[in-house]
Structure formats: structure tokens, C-alpha cells
Amino acid sequence: MKDKFKELEQFDTPSITNVVATYPDKEYCLGLYHPWKGKWYTDQTLKCMYPELGRRVGYVVTCTYGLPDPNYPNLKFADVLRAVAEMKKPVILALKQDMPDEIKNIDGLLGGNMMTALKSAGVVGVLSDGPSRDIDEIRPLNMQYMLTGVCAGHGKFAVHAVNTPVEICGMMVAPGDIVHMDENGAVKFPAKYIDEVISKAKDLQAIESKRQKMMRETTDVEELIKIMSGLYD
């Protein structure tokens, strides 16, 4: 699987969305989800903190954080680390911030200590539907960090769930899904489709490379229309 993940990293995330579900009427698309309603990719609220670090692919581990609940002190960050350790590698952590509205935008939840521990446990990227912090401290870890924003502080928080399905910025993910992420956002698909996703991505890359080469070689608008329509594919 390591080699397959490396193959997936040759393609940008929009290309992966194209073959997963965007164009269900095309041969290069698997049509795994409804393009608009499937909740299979992230929306514009998720921001890539380190575009220069490039793409990351991994198996999903999920966790949900919220305010401390005296009636449920059962889970700790240690349980998140254990879940990462038990998952096939590499891991993408999908962290849900289930916070009240007045707190969510000021919750710099993950920081340098937590991210360093996650890195050592096998995490290569993090998705979260809230802010975090320590951007400069985390950059050298070479972990992709995708958040709604950043802020400097936080109060007390607690783990509410580990490895349950979560929604992160419009994308529903479950433990064991594969996530592909880059500066455009993130997309998921079931692990059993990885070979087909790679194959279709190669097919799409060949089509688009040919089209763009032909378009660069002409200024004839009618010819451009033919190329864009797929006439020469």
C-alpha cells in the first residue's frame, strides 16, 4: 500500500475528486457518491496551512473534542494515540470540534506538543473543522495541517469520541476511509477502491495532458471548442 499511496500523491486532490464522483457520466469516473449531495469532499471553510508541503494520503482515524463533561471522563488524548497506533499507516486524523458557537472560533485545540506526539504515532496530516495554533512550531514536522483558521489560545477541552463517523467541513468520514488532501481541500473514498482510483486518475491525466497540449498549440476558437468537448480524446 505504501507504493500505492505514493502513486496517489502524484495527482492533485481535484483530479482525485474527478475520478471518485465529479463526472459520473464519464468512463474515467467511478461515481462512488452523488456529486453534490454525497458529502465526500470538503468545502471552502477548510484551509491548508502549509501549501508548500504538498499532498498527503492516508487512512482515517477520527476523534471528537468538546467541553469537559464530568459525567463522561472516560476518554483522553492517549486513546486518540492508541487508535492511531492500531490503524494501518500512514494516518490522516480527522478531528471534529464539537464546541458551542461562542467557543469554537477561539479554540486553538491542537498545538506543538499534540502534533509532535501524533507525528511519532504515524499521522501525516490533520483535518479539523475548527482552528488550532502553533503554526510555525508545527511546520518543521512536515505534517499537512488543514483547519478553518488559527488562534492563539484555548480553555479546557476533552475527548468525547474516538473512531466514530464525523463530518469535517462538509465531508463525512469514517475510520479506515482513505483521504487525499492538498491545498485545494480533501476528498475521501473507501480503501477497497484504491486500485481503481489510481487507474482512473492515470486515464484522466492522459486525457487532460493531451487536451492541454493541443490547446496550447492553437488560437482557433472553434478548434479550442472541439478540444474542450472531448472530440479528440
Side-chain angles (χ1 to χ4, degrees):
M1 289 297 288
K2 182 178 179 180
D3 290 340
K4 293 178 182 180
F5 281 14
K6 288 297 182 184
E7 281 194 272
L8 280 171
E9 288 178 354
Q10 295 176 21
F11 309 101
D12 60 23
T13 300
S15 294
I16 301 302
T17 67
N18 284 348
V19 304
V20 168
T22 298
Y23 298 108
D25 58 335
K26 303 295 185 182
E27 290 186 5
Y28 57 74
C29 181
L30 295 170
L32 300 181
Y33 310 100
H34 188 289
W36 289 119
K37 300 178 182 179
K39 292 193 173 183
W40 52 283
Y41 65 98
T42 55
D43 62 32
Q44 65 173 346
T45 61
L46 189 68
K47 306 295 190 297
C48 181
M49 299 295 107
Y50 308 126
E52 71 279 4
L53 295 185
R55 304 149 191 165
R56 295 292 184 274
V57 184
Y59 294 102
V60 171
V61 167
T62 74
C63 65
T64 300
Y65 271 81
L67 296 179
D69 184 344
N71 297 310
Y72 189 69
N74 302 50
L75 295 172
K76 308 293 183 186
F77 181 60
D79 297 291
V80 179
L81 291 177
R82 292 187 183 106
V84 171
E86 292 168 3
M87 181 60 71
K88 292 175 285 187
K89 304 299 185 296
V91 169
I92 301 292
L93 180 67
L95 190 152
K96 178 74 177 177
Q97 297 194 36
D98 190 13
M99 295 288 186
D101 290 343
E102 68 272 16
I103 290 175
K104 187 162 186 174
N105 288 333
I106 57 170
D107 181 28
L109 199 153
L110 288 169
N113 291 329
M114 294 172 75
M115 288 289 280
T116 300
L118 289 168
K119 165 82 172 185
S120 294
V123 174
V124 298
V126 171
L127 305 168
S128 183
D129 65 342
S132 281
R133 59 182 185 166
D134 291 345
I135 296 298
D136 288 345
E137 185 177 345
I138 293 164
R139 183 179 284 108
L141 295 177
N142 197 35
M143 299 170 72
Q144 196 51 274
Y145 207 25
M146 299 187 71
L147 314 166
T148 59
V150 293
C151 66
H154 61 71
K156 288 186 177 181
F157 47 68
V159 181
H160 286 189
V162 176
N163 271 346
T164 61
V166 297
E167 182 172 343
I168 304 293
C169 299
M171 181 177 69
M172 288 292 304
V173 289
D177 284 344
I178 288 179
V179 159
H180 187 292
M181 56 197 278
D182 69 9
E183 60 189 299
N184 297 284
V187 59
K188 69 162 187 180
F189 60 87
K192 67 180 181 179
Y193 289 104
I194 187 168
D195 290 328
E196 293 175 78
V197 169
I198 292 170
S199 176
K200 298 292 186 184
K202 289 178 179 178
D203 292 344
L204 175 61
Q205 185 179 63
I207 291 169
E208 291 191 335
S209 295
K210 179 181 177 181
R211 283 186 184 181
Q212 291 173 20
K213 180 178 183 295
M214 293 176 71
M215 286 190 284
R216 288 193 297 269
E217 294 172 349
T218 183
T219 57
D220 185 320
V221 170
E222 296 304 318
E223 188 67 9
L224 290 169
I225 292 169
K226 291 176 183 178
I227 297 167
M228 285 293 293
S229 71
L231 181 64
Y232 305 116
D233 292 351

